[in-house]
Amino acid sequence: MSTYDKYETVIGLETHVQLATNSKAFCGDAIEFGASPNTHISTIALAYPGTLPKANHQHIQFAIRLGLALGSTINLENRFDRKNYFYADLPKGYQITQDRLPICVGGQLPIRVDGKMRHIRIHHIHMEEDAGKSIHDLDPKHSLIDLNRAGTPLLEIVSEPDLRSADEVDAFMTTMRQLVRYLEISDGNMEQASLRCDCNISVRLKGTEKLGQRCEVKNLNSMRFARKAIEFEQKRQIDLIESGGKVLQQTLNFDPNTGRTSPLRSKEDAHDYRYFPEPDLPPIKIKREQVQKIKKQLPPLPWQLLETFTQTYQLSEYDANLLTEEKGIALFAQKLLQASAHHKAIANLLINKIIPYLKQENLDAEDFPIPIGNLLDFIDLIQSEQVSHSIAYQRLFPALLERPTVSAKEVATQMNLLQSKDDDFLLELVERILAQHPDKVKAYQNGKKGLIGFFMGDLMKQSKGKAHPKEAKKLLESKLAE
Ligand code: ADP
Ligand code: MG
């Protein structure tokens, strides 16, 4: 057993989700990724003297929606606090956040790793605003500041230290991304930093209860970086302990270029944020009925659909994952699965034909041109062996996309794609093929039974896929045995 195997990694995440609200958290400024720098900053966003912030109704609604989806308790009375610190990208000198009384407490996010379900407990969710952005790589002599992002509404989801590996962190972030997209509260885009996390990492000897001293790696906005940061930290902390040292509680930066973490600040020089209740905003009071209303409007959640698809419809976990990745496709799949007995065939059609088409055409599932009823007819044609699977996929499906409202059967008939079990048709075909290959017929009759594959191949080709394969094979074998 290697030294590293004696240790267990413990991780807690502070995940930030940037919300897709119409405007900023405390004023009417627009939110637009990639907008010309410093074009969406009002005096309120900069907290000019005499200006007053105003809470954003959508910010609160979105927090409740996420909280309910995670099974959190909603604090019907909660409040904003002021977190004081000065930094170039925060010129107003404080951030409005929630400290003592956050909007949601408790809850859990179900994740799947290696086919096993784990429930990662949520400590709380709070609302806050984002800071601006410092840009260090555009000007050789100066740092530049873009304050467009200042005041953008965020939710911070703080997990309990329940995660044990980079794989679990990956699953947590992937599921969180999927969830916020299902709930339509954020685009969950990690590249644009709409979803990012701070990773608190410690190690302890396996079998021990007490948590080790943790370090916090800030602002990871790609799964690849999070993974590297965790792997680097695990090893660094274990090496340190094994060589007689002690892990210090530090805030770390991850450098993607070197794959290493480095200290940003230690606990000793941690900020004193001097939190106090935000004096410019009244406490938030939420009506119980409002929570009930939001609860009723929640969409089916990704893990619920995954369960239905695997349990009720007996799809493989692999297929079910693909089909539930996006809500639009998942709901479309559910409609088809509900209406048909051929679940595996439906999953195949979605995965191999419909989803690629939607991606290629950049369409939402609800705008898929072939109506559900006609798709079911299409599946039935294959299942009842009226059209061969390959002909259906290669020729009938594209034809249906051209004429989506004409019934699949009618299009197949017009295109002469229906398979024939017709005895005369098959007999004529079999006799023709045997006559064309007298040598191979002899070889077959002398024991080279593998040649049946050759005859079948030629037969399907000459029938242009219309021969019914099972019937044709039966007839071929009986003719060859004569
Ligand atoms: P603080 O308020 O100082 O930031 P918290 O108690 O809020 O500390 O914890 C912040 C995050 O760190 C949470 O996600 C929590 O689960 C995680 N965490 C706390 N202690 C540890 C530890 N020893 N190892 C790993 N993660 C931890
Ligand atoms: Mg914290």
Side-chain angles (χ1 to χ4, degrees):
M1 190 159 144
S2 98
T3 311
Y4 297 113
D5 293 335
K6 288 194 295 188
Y7 287 85
E8 171 177 63
T9 308
V10 174
I11 304 163
L13 293 179
E14 292 163 283
T15 308
H16 288 93
V17 180
Q18 184 187 311
L19 298 177
T21 52
N22 299 327
S23 56
K24 288 188 182 174
F26 303 107
C27 63
D29 295 350
I31 300 164
E32 185 192 350
F33 183 84
S36 183
N38 300 310
T39 51
H40 295 309
I41 38 171
S42 59
T43 49
I44 304 178
L46 301 179
Y48 273 28
T51 63
L52 285 174
K54 209 170 139 222
N56 180 334
H57 180 67
Q58 249 183 340
H59 196 181
I60 300 166
Q61 300 269 314
F62 286 4
I64 299 172
R65 212 183 283 176
L66 181 63
L68 289 173
L70 294 172
S72 313
T73 303
I74 311 297
N75 272 334
L76 295 179
E77 188 160 341
N78 59 91
R79 68 159 200 244
F80 284 112
D81 296 289
R82 199 178 272 200
K83 179 178 178 179
N84 298 280
Y85 67 99
F86 182 80
Y87 198 69
D89 62 16
L90 188 74
K92 69 187 202 183
Y94 59 87
Q95 176 193 30
I96 303 179
T97 179
Q98 296 194 291
D99 181 38
R100 290 294 171 81
L101 261 181
I103 186 158
C104 309
V105 203
Q108 50 185 21
L109 180 72
I111 61 168
R112 281 188 95 85
V113 179
D114 295 334
K116 275 197 239 72
M117 197 79 168
R118 289 208 56 211
H119 291 87
I120 306 304
R121 290 171 303 154
I122 304 298
H123 183 271
H124 75 268
I125 306 171
H126 67 256
M127 299 185 281
E128 62 183 25
E129 60 175 334
D130 210 346
K133 211 166 17 184
S134 307
I135 302 155
H136 304 291
D137 54 4
L138 269 187
D139 186 293
K141 292 210 181 99
H142 306 92
S143 283
L144 305 177
I145 303 288
D146 176 8
L147 292 173
N148 281 347
R149 206 179 62 182
T152 301
L154 302 177
L155 294 180
E156 179 173 334
I157 304 121
V158 181
S159 88
E160 296 288 356
D162 282 353
L163 297 148
R164 295 290 174 268
S165 66
D167 282 344
E168 290 190 357
V169 170
D170 195 328
F172 184 96
M173 294 303 285
T174 307
T175 311
M176 190 59 82
R177 174 173 188 278
Q178 190 186 25
L179 178 62
V180 299
R181 291 171 63 86
Y182 264 65
L183 298 174
E184 295 179 39
I185 62 175
S186 169
D187 62 22
N189 189 326
M190 284 190 97
E191 294 79 60
Q192 295 179 3
S194 306
L195 183 67
R196 52 192 197 261
C197 67
D198 303 339
C199 232
N200 296 270
I201 307 165
S202 65
V203 297
R204 65 181 172 194
L205 282 171
K206 279 183 185 159
T208 58
E209 284 283 317
K210 195 167 174 285
L211 293 175
Q213 185 61 270
R214 73 179 148 119
C215 289
E216 177 177 0
V217 189
K218 280 284 186 199
N219 268 329
L220 295 161
N221 71 340
S222 107
M223 270 329 301
R224 205 161 52 84
F225 295 165
R227 203 170 260 284
K228 283 198 170 158
I230 292 165
E231 276 155 16
F232 180 83
E233 262 312 290
Q234 267 165 226
K235 184 166 178 312
R236 184 187 74 82
Q237 294 185 16
I238 295 171
D239 288 346
L240 195 60
I241 295 169
E242 284 290 317
S243 62
K246 249 190 172 164
V247 177
L248 299 175
Q249 185 171 345
Q250 282 175 326
T251 303
L252 306 171
N253 211 357
F254 175 73
D255 181 351
N257 296 318
T258 60
R260 303 171 67 87
T261 63
S262 57
L264 216 57
R265 54 180 182 264
S266 68
K267 194 174 182 201
E268 285 70 48
D269 48 47
H271 296 291
D272 174 4
Y273 292 119
R274 292 174 293 115
Y275 281 102
F276 55 80
E278 168 58 52
D280 289 342
L281 286 163
I284 298 157
K285 292 190 176 144
I286 303 166
K287 291 207 181 72
R288 205 173 289 279
E289 302 82 72
Q290 196 189 348
V291 176
Q292 289 306 331
K293 192 170 152 208
I294 297 175
K295 194 167 194 171
K296 278 210 198 95
Q297 291 166 345
L298 281 186
L301 301 176
W303 50 86
Q304 294 168 341
L305 287 175
L306 190 81
E307 166 144 346
T308 308
F309 287 10
T310 51
Q311 302 301 312
T312 310
Y313 301 129
Q314 296 291 309
L315 298 180
S316 68
E317 189 163 321
Y318 181 84
D319 286 356
N321 266 324
L322 284 176
L323 295 179
T324 52
E325 222 166 78
E326 282 177 38
K327 182 172 67 171
I329 288 169
L331 295 180
F332 187 71
Q334 195 184 28
K335 275 194 203 140
L336 280 167
L337 289 162
Q338 265 166 357
S340 168
H342 309 298
H343 303 139
K344 177 64 187 159
I346 301 250
N348 287 345
L349 181 66
L350 281 158
I351 291 168
N352 297 315
K353 285 294 195 191
I354 298 177
I355 296 174
Y357 177 82
L358 293 171
K359 295 245 151 90
Q360 182 195 314
E361 301 292 319
N362 202 12
L363 280 181
D364 290 334
E366 61 198 39
D367 298 325
F368 185 68
I370 307 175
I372 298 238
N374 210 9
L375 284 172
L376 294 169
D377 289 348
F378 173 85
I379 294 280
D380 281 340
L381 285 178
I382 302 176
Q383 293 302 119
S384 61
E385 302 184 327
Q386 294 180 69
V387 179
S388 85
H389 183 275
S390 59
I391 293 284
Y393 267 44
Q394 285 160 24
R395 303 196 44 209
L396 184 53
F397 188 80
L400 269 185
L401 283 170
E402 300 283 318
R403 295 191 291 160
T405 52
V406 184
S407 91
K409 176 97 180 232
E410 198 173 321
V411 176
T413 311
Q414 285 172 12
M415 292 174 74
N416 200 15
L417 301 177
L418 293 173
Q419 288 194 122
S420 187
K421 287 192 194 177
D422 181 75
D423 289 345
D424 292 342
F425 168 79
L426 282 183
L427 190 62
E428 193 266 326
L429 197 62
V430 166
E431 283 179 341
R432 173 157 31 114
I433 281 158
L434 296 185
Q436 283 167 352
H437 306 286
D439 301 353
K440 293 208 164 66
V441 171
K442 218 173 246 145
Y444 178 93
Q445 285 163 345
N446 288 331
K448 277 191 90 175
K449 299 289 186 235
L451 281 168
I452 192 72
F454 165 82
F455 291 122
M456 273 304 290
D458 202 27
L459 186 147
M460 291 311 290
K461 200 159 103 197
Q462 294 205 29
S463 80
K464 301 201 171 61
K466 281 181 58 188
H468 186 277
K470 266 189 228 145
E471 298 294 325
K473 188 157 178 245
K474 246 199 293 185
L475 193 59
L476 252 180
E477 282 170 341
S478 80
K479 281 280 156 199
L480 281 162
E482 276 175 11

